[in-house]
Amino acid sequence: MATTCNATVTNKQVILRDYVTGFPKESDLIFTDSTIDLKIPEGSKTVLVKNLYLSCDPYMRIRMGIPDPGTAALAPPYIPGEPIYGFSVSKVIDSGHPDYKKGDLLWGLVGWGEYSLITPDFSHYKIQHTDVPLSYYTGLLGMPGMTAYAGFYEICSPKKGETVFVSAASGAVGQLVGQFAKIMGCYVVGSAGSNEKVDLLKNKFGFDEAFNYKEEKDLNAALKRCFPEGIDIYFENVGGKMLDAVLLNMKLHGRIAVCGMISQYNLEDQEGVHNLANVIYKRIRIQGFVVSDYFDKHLKFLDFVLPYIREGKITYVEDVVEGLENGPSALLGLFHGKNVGKQLILVAPE
């Protein structure tokens, strides 16, 4: 990093060029170099952080689109000409906030750049446990881990012996839902978009069965093959044709936690769902959720998951690219299935 004077450094940032329709392109995200003061002004409650890892997550595509009341309920849209925001693992450089001091590590929402100036709120957490990889706080111990925990335990209310289906199962959230379900004593099947990912599900994450949805001519038949008696719990990450097929295969009183619909985010005309009448016939409960509604359970989540990590009972696969300059291609690769596991960017060494 080039120091321009005693107290300022250059700061490369990733900027949204303009609102996006359809599939985003790398040209929609541009780089800019600015300078940032390494000292917080006297009396400010802000915190200056150096970003170590940045998280690439599918919901970020929603924030790139033209604002509308529906998506705004999830998160505010990005502003063209300003940095995009996402979850990070960061180190405090200077702080005017009483809860943070120089050298502290935190995870939470920041602007994509080498440095970020934040005002800590409910989306920022000091990292207390450093006996696990710091990068896990972009995934397993951060927002995706909380998403898997809240969606599976709080919404689906699983019971031992139930049947569980997870779509996009090798991703940041899906790989954890499957492992949580196995810990509960459930029968678990996952879908993914390549044979490499299917192998990962069965041989690394312990799923009972998995299939490559791109090789299945009939998703309904694939689900019947894997769940001859039906599905108790569906953890929804993709939407579209998969959701339609799942509705035909749910059991009575089945539960569906709607976490994401990545197959729909880049469509200007989203696909309809044709089998919704099954919600009535089978008394299915479908609930959408946003992880920030469950951030108050963060300590409970850590108490639950950390022992499993330390005992080697939970495995987590990361797909790490190095350098902020490779961030846009890594982020957009999510929408083409290029990542294997949790996609993140190493911005600076720990």
Side-chain angles (χ1 to χ4, degrees):
M1 206 73 57
T3 302
T4 56
C5 69
N6 287 341
T8 63
V9 294
T10 57
N11 185 28
K12 188 182 291 294
Q13 295 176 300
V14 180
I15 306 295
L16 180 68
R17 185 175 58 81
D18 201 355
Y19 292 124
V20 174
T21 56
F23 277 87
K25 306 177 293 296
E26 284 191 49
S27 58
D28 292 318
L29 298 171
I30 56 178
F31 291 95
T32 184
D33 285 322
S34 59
T35 60
I36 192 164
D37 200 326
L38 293 181
K39 204 78 182 133
I40 297 291
E42 197 69 38
S44 171
K45 292 290 180 67
T46 57
V47 176
L48 176 69
V49 297
K50 181 176 184 177
N51 296 320
L52 307 180
Y53 296 96
L54 293 173
S55 177
C56 298
D57 297 294
Y59 82 91
M60 296 171 74
R61 168 61 187 89
I62 301 169
R63 300 186 71 181
M64 294 179 191
I66 297 169
D68 72 63
T71 57
L74 170 71
Y78 296 140
I79 299 171
E82 295 191 9
I84 64 172
Y85 272 73
F87 286 90
S88 77
V89 172
S90 308
K91 187 172 187 175
V92 175
I93 301 299
D94 194 27
S95 174
H97 195 282
D99 294 342
Y100 294 92
K101 66 181 188 301
K102 182 178 179 179
D104 282 346
L105 294 163
L106 63 83
W107 72 269
L109 282 171
V110 303
W112 268 33
E114 293 167 304
Y115 294 87
S116 299
L117 190 65
I118 61 172
T119 302
D121 61 18
F122 71 94
S123 71
H124 298 98
Y125 295 88
K126 191 184 292 187
I127 293 173
Q128 309 282 9
H129 305 278
T130 55
D131 60 325
V132 293
L134 273 183
S135 59
Y136 277 11
Y137 288 92
T138 68
L140 170 49
L141 292 173
M143 183 274 289
M146 280 290 299
T147 302
Y149 177 81
F152 186 61
Y153 288 104
E154 299 291 330
I155 292 174
C156 292
S157 304
K159 303 179 189 68
K160 182 177 180 179
E162 289 192 310
T163 57
V164 177
F165 177 52
V166 186
S167 55
S170 67
V173 175
Q175 59 176 291
L176 291 175
V177 175
Q179 291 179 82
F180 292 165
K182 288 305 299 176
I183 288 169
M184 279 291 302
C186 298
Y187 172 81
V188 188
V189 176
S191 65
S194 74
N195 292 331
E196 176 191 7
K197 293 177 182 179
V198 167
D199 182 67
L200 202 62
L201 293 176
K202 293 197 283 189
N203 299 317
K204 185 88 171 176
F205 301 135
F207 282 60
D208 295 290
E209 192 52 77
F211 63 88
N212 180 349
Y213 70 89
K214 293 179 181 176
E215 293 186 347
E216 299 290 344
K217 291 191 175 79
D218 185 340
L219 292 174
N220 179 28
L223 291 171
K224 279 186 166 42
R225 182 179 74 238
C226 294
F227 296 100
E229 296 179 11
I231 301 166
D232 289 301
I233 291 171
Y234 173 43
F235 199 98
E236 165 69 300
N237 286 311
V238 299
K241 295 178 178 63
M242 186 65 81
L243 175 58
D244 240 351
V246 166
L247 288 169
L248 294 173
N249 288 277
M250 292 297 292
K251 288 185 183 180
L252 284 178
H253 304 291
R255 289 89 75 203
I256 299 176
V258 184
C259 171
M261 293 197 172
I262 195 170
S263 74
Q264 306 299 298
Y265 295 158
N266 298 302
L267 302 181
E268 292 186 49
D269 293 312
Q270 296 191 0
E271 295 173 318
V273 179
H274 303 284
N275 296 320
L276 276 174
N278 285 275
V279 175
I280 307 166
Y281 310 151
K282 298 179 180 180
R283 292 75 127 184
I284 299 166
R285 178 163 57 85
I286 303 179
Q287 184 175 338
F289 72 103
V290 176
V291 66
S292 55
D293 295 341
Y294 296 89
F295 276 167
D296 63 316
K297 301 188 185 298
H298 181 241
L299 291 178
K300 180 182 173 185
F301 164 66
L302 289 181
D303 288 343
F304 164 79
V305 79
L306 279 167
Y308 287 116
I309 297 171
R310 289 168 178 148
E311 293 165 18
K313 293 180 179 176
I314 285 181
T315 301
Y316 202 62
V317 171
E318 299 174 318
D319 192 333
V320 185
V321 301
E322 293 191 17
L324 183 63
E325 66 276 9
N326 294 312
S329 61
L331 175 60
L332 303 190
L334 293 176
F335 307 106
H336 302 280
K338 291 183 179 178
N339 60 302
V340 178
K342 167 65 192 165
Q343 185 70 72
L344 64 141
I345 305 153
L346 172 61
V347 181
E350 294 174 22

